[in-house]
Amino acid sequence: MSGFLSYMRGDSILHRLNPLTKLVMSVSLCASCFITNRHGVVAGIIAFNLLMAYSAGGLGRSLVMSASFGKLALVLFALQVFFVRDGNVILSLPLNIYVTDRGALFSSLFALRLVAAAMPLAVVLSATRMSDISNALVRYLNMPYKYTFVLTTAMRFIPIFSEEMAGIVEAQTARGVEFDTKNFFKKIRLLLPLCVPLLISSVRKIEGSAISAELRGFNLRTRESGYKTYGFAPRDAAMLVCCAVIALAAKI
Amino acid sequence: MLRFDGVSFHRGPEKVISDVSFEIRAGEFAALLGENGAGKSTLCRLSNGLLKPSSGRVTVCGDDTARTRTSVIARNAGFLFQNPDRQLCQNTVLGEIVFGLEHVVSDRAERERRAGEMLAAFSLDGGRDPFGMSRGERQQVALASILARKPRMLILDEPTTGLDYRECMTIMGVVSRLNAEGTTILMVSHDMEVTADFAERALVLSGGRLIADGPVRRIMRDVKTLDEASLLPAQIPALAVSLGGVFSDAFTVDDMTALVERANATRGEAAR
């Protein structure tokens, strides 16, 4: 999962879209998942995401990511499905535990939404450089550079911290801490003390980045500092229309 | 103690380790040399089961790493990482050493006794915060927490990188003493001087292949092999090779000093 937010080089339509269009697209698709109450629409959004990922050359990565979220969605489904008591009973278990048709529909929609809502941003980020998103937000939405820098840096640090955590777990396993146990609760208990080295290394890295940015004139940057421009092309309009249609379909 | 039998390791389509075979016997001090990206760290991770071989077999202290959990292997084989901060997770040095023991020693008094031994061996203050210490001191704390478990084998991944001379000598002094007491050592190092001073055997990796395996004294003089692995020999062996003749056997500063003094004496006698 560590590399699922990292940029993949390419020249697909998704790569060539304006960064703002891509952001609008991801927000719109994500919102559409929560507007609709129909499984078909959410499944359609997942299919659309996979299509975009395929066109950008990242289908494999998207499928791996969907599978990871799918596991989480399954856990949430299993938790939800027993708590909805309305509707007709379709499965009855001992101890007054049962599953209703409404519970099954609600929980499956919830699980599908989780997968569908997580995908757009990941697909967009795999086809967009962080610096392009940041520059476009500053140039066209007049967002202060400091805020966009915080946003993009936070995104950039996710895979770095993920790798750091993997390294820490590896180091602790090598000193005999049983992270390779199959007992889930034991693993969670063992993970808690590791927050300390992760926090320390994170703060060190962030401090280093901040000092480095300061020394390279971070505070001198203005809206005009970026040399790149991002034009709007017909493909951007087509994508926005496409997203609007999906949002309308979700609303109806 | 550690045996690689035809071990290969792939990371995706890339072959990182290619058909490596060697055996390190109990009590040996072996250095693993090679350029960046040669596969040294991967080989170390294969040695304690953090990575499983794609083909071939790795056994450490009799355990097949493909079938044994790393946390179990760690009871016999300690591993010191290049970055000590990944190992440290407690608020005090004493807590850090005891944390490593909690997973092996159930008796509290025994844990405290062993921790006390380590604090004395490294002259560490048990009440200090490890994250407030220098890098060299943090490396010592990490090493102390491993040694408290009394491993039969120690795998060191570039233990002296980023340390000053004094810190380096403190770490290597402890490692050398352990080796003299019978602990088997496998050390990855870029520092040829440290390798020449402390290791007795060298394994040279290049492009994931083991291209040389033998006594450090021989490997340090094998300019062709070292060149293939983008390594420079330690200064005294390099000087000895360069001077040749009676000096070609010199390996340490003491060797070279003795040979120069003998040469001077011979010249003096000849002049008389």
Side-chain angles (χ1 to χ4, degrees):
Chain A
M1 285 276 285
S2 64
F4 80 99
L5 289 177
S6 56
Y7 175 71
M8 289 187 313
R9 284 171 180 273
D11 194 31
S12 67
I13 292 176
L14 191 62
H15 281 89
R16 279 179 281 151
L17 285 174
N18 187 296
L20 287 183
T21 307
K22 289 190 249 189
L23 277 183
V24 170
M25 184 193 101
S26 63
V27 171
S28 148
L29 290 177
C30 192
S32 301
C33 297
F34 292 96
I35 292 170
T36 188
N37 282 320
R38 284 178 293 161
H39 291 70
V41 174
V42 181
I45 292 171
I46 292 176
F48 183 74
N49 278 316
L50 289 175
L51 186 70
M52 293 307 299
Y54 173 73
S55 74
L59 182 63
R61 197 159 74 165
S62 274
L63 287 173
V64 169
M65 199 200 78
S66 308
S68 304
F69 276 102
K71 284 178 197 163
L72 180 64
L74 272 178
V75 173
L76 291 176
F77 172 81
L79 286 174
Q80 288 268 345
V81 78
F82 296 112
F83 285 95
V84 180
R85 314 294 276 183
D86 302 342
N88 302 316
V89 176
I90 54 171
L91 177 68
S92 192
L93 298 166
L95 302 170
N96 197 27
I97 297 171
Y98 55 86
V99 176
T100 66
D101 54 354
R102 286 188 68 179
L105 281 172
F106 176 78
S107 308
S108 55
L109 182 64
F110 186 80
L112 273 177
R113 271 178 181 159
L114 180 73
V115 177
M119 286 176 78
L121 190 63
V123 171
V124 162
L125 290 177
S126 71
T128 318
R129 286 192 178 88
M130 286 292 178
S131 56
D132 287 336
I133 294 177
S134 170
N135 288 340
L137 286 171
V138 172
R139 186 172 282 272
Y140 300 109
L141 296 185
N142 286 341
M143 198 180 266
Y145 181 70
K146 274 185 185 173
Y147 299 147
T148 62
F149 182 78
V150 168
L151 178 76
T152 54
T153 305
M155 300 293 250
R156 194 161 57 83
F157 268 84
I158 291 172
I160 293 172
F161 290 156
S162 175
E163 273 172 29
E164 185 67 26
M165 191 62 185
I168 290 168
V169 167
E170 195 180 57
Q172 297 297 334
T173 309
R175 76 192 285 203
V177 183
E178 293 179 84
F179 282 109
D180 40 13
T181 177
K182 291 193 169 83
N183 184 332
F184 175 76
F185 296 103
K186 189 174 184 183
K187 206 178 250 186
I188 293 293
R189 188 173 58 81
L190 291 171
L191 270 172
L192 288 176
L194 301 195
C195 295
V196 176
L198 183 65
L199 192 68
I200 297 276
S201 67
S202 307
V203 169
R204 279 197 177 134
K205 279 200 170 78
I206 290 165
E207 193 190 17
S209 295
I211 291 169
S212 165
E214 290 272 343
L215 291 173
R216 285 179 288 162
F218 177 79
N219 286 321
L220 302 175
R221 194 179 168 101
T222 64
R223 193 175 152 230
E224 286 75 33
S225 296
Y227 69 91
K228 269 189 171 179
T229 55
Y230 306 91
F232 281 90
R235 57 177 170 264
D236 292 294
M239 180 54 78
L240 291 174
V241 169
C242 196
C243 290
V245 169
I246 291 172
L248 272 175
K251 183 86 174 105
I252 294 167
Chain B
M1 183 62 71
L2 174 67
R3 191 182 169 95
F4 274 59
D5 283 315
V7 174
S8 295
F9 178 76
H10 295 82
R11 192 173 284 125
E14 187 193 0
K15 202 168 191 178
V16 185
I17 297 289
S18 187
D19 194 24
V20 167
S21 298
F22 65 87
E23 183 180 3
I24 293 175
R25 288 170 291 277
E28 272 193 303
F29 191 140
L32 193 54
L33 308 172
E35 63 199 311
N36 283 341
K40 303 185 297 295
S41 293
T42 303
L43 199 136
C44 279
R45 282 168 167 76
L46 284 164
S47 300
N48 72 342
L50 281 171
L51 297 174
K52 310 291 181 194
S54 306
S55 63
R57 189 162 180 253
V58 180
T59 46
V60 57
C61 304
D63 294 323
D64 184 341
T65 60
R67 293 184 191 147
T68 315
R69 283 162 44 195
T70 301
S71 55
V72 175
I73 294 171
R75 289 166 197 255
N76 288 318
F79 192 116
L80 182 70
F81 283 78
Q82 189 181 346
N83 180 359
D85 294 348
R86 287 183 168 177
Q87 284 185 233
L88 306 177
C89 60
Q90 300 293 310
N91 295 327
T92 62
V93 170
L94 180 64
E96 192 58 53
I97 297 172
V98 170
F99 179 77
L101 286 169
E102 278 169 1
H103 305 278
V104 218
V105 182
S106 53
D107 181 27
R108 190 176 171 176
E110 173 63 11
R111 284 202 299 259
E112 283 172 4
R113 191 189 63 77
R114 286 205 204 176
E117 269 179 24
M118 284 301 123
L119 290 175
F122 286 90
S123 308
L124 291 166
D125 175 356
R128 279 186 74 187
D129 176 3
F131 292 102
M133 299 168 109
S134 72
R135 187 192 160 92
E137 287 173 321
R138 294 202 301 277
Q139 189 73 292
Q140 286 179 41
V141 174
L143 182 58
S145 78
I146 293 165
L147 297 184
R149 300 162 65 98
K150 299 191 186 299
R152 289 161 61 198
M153 179 170 187
L154 197 54
I155 302 163
L156 309 161
D157 191 357
E158 299 189 34
T160 56
T161 302
L163 306 190
D164 64 26
Y165 179 75
R166 190 180 54 81
E167 291 170 336
C168 173
M169 285 302 119
T170 306
I171 294 271
M172 289 315 299
V174 173
V175 170
S176 182
R177 199 165 61 240
L178 279 167
N179 180 241
E181 289 166 4
T183 307
T184 312
I185 311 285
L186 174 64
M187 177 181 76
V188 170
S189 184
H190 274 130
D191 191 331
M192 300 298 272
E193 303 296 334
V194 167
T195 302
D197 285 348
F198 293 96
E200 59 195 26
R201 178 177 166 191
L203 299 109
V204 184
L205 275 180
S206 178
R209 290 178 307 111
L210 187 64
I211 59 166
D213 177 3
V216 169
R217 281 179 174 258
R218 178 168 67 73
I219 300 286
M220 284 287 176
R221 290 193 181 88
D222 188 346
V223 180
K224 197 178 159 203
T225 300
L226 292 179
D227 192 45
E228 191 182 337
S230 303
L231 296 168
L232 280 174
Q235 288 186 349
I236 297 294
L239 182 63
V241 169
S242 169
L243 292 173
V246 292
F247 299 106
S248 59
D249 285 339
F251 191 73
T252 61
V253 172
D254 290 342
D255 291 346
M256 185 58 87
T257 309
L259 287 170
V260 169
E261 282 173 353
R262 201 181 306 157
N264 280 340
T266 311
R267 200 190 302 160
E269 279 171 20
R272 273 200 297 276

